[in-house]
Amino acid sequence: YYITNNLRTDDPNLDNTLKVTLLLFISILLHHLTTKYTMYRKGLAALPNVEVLSPLVTRVLGQNPGPKTLQGTNTYLVGKYPNVVLIDTGEPDKKSYTDLLRDTVRSSNLTVKGIIITHWHPDHLGGCGAVRIFLDELWNSGNNTMCSNQGGDCAILGDSKVPEQCKVPVFKMPHAFDSEIAPGQNMHHLHDKQLVEVSEGCTLRVLHTPGHTDDSICLHLLQENSLFSADTVLGGSSGEFSNYTHYIKSLNRLRELAPVRVYPGHGQVEDGGVVDRYLSHRQDREGQVLAALRGVESHVGVGKLTEIVYQNENLHPGLVVAAQGIVGLMLEKLRADGTAREVEDGFWVAT
């Protein structure tokens, strides 16, 4: 604050390039300190940029830490050497991530057979274009045999179509926002229960798990009985959702799998019990919302109700709007259950 308010940018003795450099440095420093403070406040464990999590799974951190992304977006290289798929691509214009991913793929001499995107949010889909550029270059460099031996663009799912030039295929459950978040990226559509044979001894099953978003998927790694949960289940934090009823149904579906390990879209790796903990947390939160609604003397707005529900949790200012959204969606479910009603726009009472 002191520096930015005392740096005279109109000083003729201060070269413009130096001014810009100083302000850029200050901006980066403040972002770094804010991120570190957020991680400290949330009690988040530090994660390495690249970590081998199992013989079939390597995590590459998205280099985008923050209140919502936690330590950053988790992207994963999954498969038995040398053939892997990449799960998610981080956010747009994040050169530090694409450089890190490129170095990891090259140093490990991996062949990335395809990209699987878990949902349309920019911190998962946004980096697709930049990532695909360098993966296409590697694919066509003559250092791998995907094109000549396995049918090019659609080889991972057994399609015999051979394009003019091999490109790393992208697979995703379709969503209306795909073309806005990743313009110009042709995507092959996934469907529920689809099997993806990544390599010998590595098979992923696609699970459509709407709730966080309409197009959200999780991926069940059959050989490990582990789960790539994307943003449906996070590590060390609770998640957000756009449809609470669908979200609970998806969590129940994941619980039926009884996974032994969960690889989340953000945060640390969790044991399979995290799904039960998520369900319990959501049920508890729903009970808190109803209790708060019953505890007020008259009708109450979503904003005030959120303050009551989260009053003892030291909620980060950047998460207030998300919390209000969660309370609003829970109120919709309570209305469907017959335990709450909206008396006027945005104001609710218990029934």
Side-chain angles (χ1 to χ4, degrees):
Y1 174 85
Y2 175 82
I3 297 174
T4 54
N5 282 276
N6 288 275
L7 177 62
R8 291 179 54 202
T9 56
D10 59 342
D11 186 348
N13 296 320
L14 191 61
D15 181 80
N16 284 333
T17 302
L18 178 58
K19 296 176 193 175
V20 172
T21 302
L22 284 172
L23 291 173
L24 180 60
F25 171 75
I26 292 166
S27 174
I28 293 172
L29 178 62
L30 290 175
H31 173 76
H32 175 76
L33 292 176
T34 300
T35 298
K36 291 296 184 184
Y37 178 67
T38 298
M39 293 175 66
Y40 166 76
R41 286 279 298 276
K42 293 179 73 68
L44 298 176
L47 299 179
N49 284 331
V50 179
E51 184 175 8
V52 177
L53 302 173
S54 84
L56 296 176
V57 180
T58 297
R59 180 183 59 217
V60 183
L61 205 57
Q63 309 303 299
N64 58 332
K68 288 189 176 183
T69 56
L70 307 182
Q71 296 97 327
T73 301
N74 292 331
T75 72
Y76 296 96
L77 294 165
V78 182
K80 183 174 291 187
Y81 176 85
N83 295 323
V84 298
V85 294
L86 172 67
I87 299 177
D88 287 333
T89 59
E91 62 185 37
D93 304 318
K94 186 62 68 173
K95 186 176 183 298
S96 55
Y97 167 69
T98 53
D99 287 348
L100 178 65
L101 180 63
R102 180 190 294 108
D103 292 345
T104 302
V105 170
R106 282 178 169 167
S107 63
S108 301
N109 197 27
L110 298 175
T111 296
V112 180
K113 295 176 63 177
I115 299 169
I116 300 176
I117 303 294
T118 59
H119 61 291
W120 69 266
H121 281 170
D123 57 320
H124 294 261
L125 173 59
C128 185
V131 168
R132 203 177 186 191
I133 286 173
F134 85 78
L135 287 180
D136 288 348
E137 291 173 354
L138 291 177
W139 204 347
N140 288 284
S141 66
N143 293 329
N144 69 68
T145 58
M146 279 297 297
C147 293
S148 60
N149 291 342
Q150 300 192 39
D153 191 55
C154 300
I156 191 171
L157 294 181
D159 194 316
S160 61
K161 174 184 175 183
V162 180
E164 292 182 5
Q165 182 183 34
C166 282
K167 293 186 178 296
V168 176
V170 180
F171 303 93
K172 186 184 175 300
M173 192 75 70
H175 192 279
F177 291 161
D178 290 347
S179 59
E180 296 181 29
I181 305 301
Q185 297 302 312
N186 180 44
M187 299 182 198
H188 303 282
H189 292 169
L190 295 171
H191 58 79
D192 189 40
K193 299 181 181 179
Q194 186 169 0
L195 292 178
V196 179
E197 301 289 346
V198 179
S199 57
E200 183 180 353
C202 183
T203 305
L204 295 168
R205 180 168 58 191
V206 177
L207 304 170
H208 184 207
T209 50
H212 177 68
T213 60
D214 293 342
D215 63 328
S216 286
I217 64 167
C218 294
L219 295 161
H220 187 199
L221 178 50
L222 301 185
Q223 285 77 7
E224 288 189 358
N225 188 26
S226 59
L227 187 70
F228 295 93
S229 62
D231 286 7
T232 298
V233 175
L234 305 183
S237 181
S238 59
E240 298 178 21
F241 42 83
S242 60
N243 185 305
Y244 183 55
T245 301
H246 290 169
Y247 184 69
I248 294 299
K249 288 181 179 178
S250 292
L251 287 178
N252 278 312
R253 184 183 186 187
L254 297 182
R255 180 169 62 177
E256 291 175 0
L257 297 175
V260 297
R261 176 179 275 197
V262 174
Y263 302 110
H266 303 273
Q268 65 203 27
V269 176
E270 295 279 0
D271 62 81
V274 69
V275 180
D276 281 322
R277 295 193 291 273
Y278 252 61
L279 280 165
S280 296
H281 172 71
R282 287 305 169 200
Q283 290 164 356
D284 290 345
R285 182 71 78 199
E286 184 181 331
Q288 291 171 357
V289 171
L290 182 57
L293 194 61
R294 288 172 172 166
V296 296
E297 294 183 359
S298 60
H299 61 268
V300 63
V302 172
K304 181 60 178 178
L305 197 60
T306 303
E307 290 180 16
I308 297 171
V309 171
Y310 286 86
Q311 61 184 326
N312 297 321
E313 299 190 26
N314 199 18
L315 190 64
H316 188 283
L319 300 177
V320 170
V321 173
Q324 290 174 347
I326 287 172
V327 170
L329 290 168
M330 287 185 170
L331 286 169
E332 294 291 346
K333 180 182 181 295
L334 292 174
R335 171 162 57 185
D337 293 343
T339 54
R341 64 186 176 91
E342 192 173 14
V343 293
E344 57 181 282
D345 189 26
F347 288 86
W348 294 77
V349 296
T351 57

